[in-house]
Amino acid sequence: MESSGRRGGQEAGEKDQYLMQRVMIIGQPGAGKSTLARRLGAALDLPVVHIDQFHWKEGWIERDAEERDKLCREAHAQDAWIIEGGNSPTWRERIARCDTLIWIDIPVWARLWRICKRTIRHKGRSRADMPANCPESFDMSFLKWVWTSRKQYFEMMQTAHENVPRDKTRHRFRSLRAVNAFIKSQGG
């Protein structure tokens, strides 16, 4: 686990639900963003927002960028949240509003494994973090995209993580063990 930041006399990672009120979680597909968001939301009693619900409409219909950005901005404007996912055009605003940025940076082989496991587990059904009528199925083009886009999106996330203002807490987890230890430290 790599963490930095000190807020209100507490080390990053110590439980303080009053300081951690707006949490931004980023990571590539299959990293565990939704799982972390749900578990952290339950531990801190914060509402969870899944960007995939803004990205997709029912039936795997992609929402247009303007509407997606509007929904993201409305979510950022709230007083408390955990927002997990992409929509990088609104990251700058989300980073400005968040008090904590978490980057789950696990290897691509682990992410591909997790994607396959979740596809099998939810095959034919929509996951809780997706809109209705977006059933899971094996999609080789998606798996190929995960593989071919890994360097580009890694660089975007690294830049976002490195440029977080000093008054914010940031974490970079390179293993699921580190993510689980963080959740446990927060009471989850």
Side-chain angles (χ1 to χ4, degrees):
M1 174 174 78
E2 175 184 312
S3 299
S4 64
R6 193 170 168 84
R7 298 176 51 91
Q10 289 192 316
E11 291 294 331
E14 290 181 6
K15 184 174 182 182
D16 188 343
Q17 67 189 76
Y18 299 104
L19 292 178
M20 200 179 331
Q21 291 292 298
R22 289 184 302 278
V23 181
M24 178 177 171
I25 301 173
I26 60 174
Q28 294 188 54
K33 300 178 301 293
S34 297
T35 302
L36 171 59
R38 280 191 302 275
R39 291 179 63 195
L40 196 56
L44 299 176
D45 194 28
L46 292 173
V48 175
V49 176
H50 302 283
I51 295 296
D52 277 344
Q53 291 185 347
F54 297 161
H55 187 91
W56 300 103
K57 294 180 183 181
E58 281 193 39
W60 290 109
I61 298 169
E62 193 168 8
R63 200 178 298 270
D64 71 62
E66 186 175 314
E67 184 181 6
R68 186 172 54 235
D69 292 353
K70 179 181 179 280
L71 291 169
C72 285
R73 288 184 179 104
E74 288 171 0
H76 306 164
Q78 302 303 309
D79 290 333
W81 41 259
I82 296 174
I83 299 177
E84 66 85 10
N87 203 43
S88 56
T90 61
W91 277 8
R92 183 174 302 196
E93 298 159 53
R94 200 174 317 156
I95 288 171
R97 290 277 301 145
C98 78
D99 53 53
T100 305
L101 174 87
I102 299 173
W103 175 19
I104 306 175
D105 179 24
I106 64 173
V108 68
W109 61 265
R111 294 187 297 104
L112 288 168
W113 172 248
R114 289 176 53 85
I115 290 168
C116 289
K117 276 183 23 180
R118 81 178 181 204
T119 300
I120 291 168
R121 184 177 4 178
H122 297 284
K123 190 171 185 196
R125 299 185 327 261
S126 298
R127 297 188 328 256
D129 54 313
M130 297 296 293
N133 196 24
C134 290
E136 282 292 304
S137 65
F138 277 100
D139 181 347
M140 290 308 292
S141 64
F142 176 64
L143 295 175
K144 182 179 177 183
W145 177 82
V146 169
W147 180 261
T148 59
S149 66
R150 68 191 187 283
K151 290 180 183 176
Q152 172 192 355
Y153 287 99
F154 171 85
E155 290 169 3
M156 285 175 52
M157 290 177 206
Q158 184 174 37
T159 299
H161 184 262
E162 289 174 353
N163 292 309
V164 170
R166 297 267 183 238
D167 65 328
K168 299 178 187 296
T169 302
R170 65 183 179 158
H171 303 278
R172 179 179 181 182
F173 301 119
R174 296 178 191 219
S175 71
L176 296 176
R177 181 178 294 158
V179 172
N180 288 330
F182 176 74
I183 293 168
K184 189 173 181 180
S185 77
Q186 301 304 310

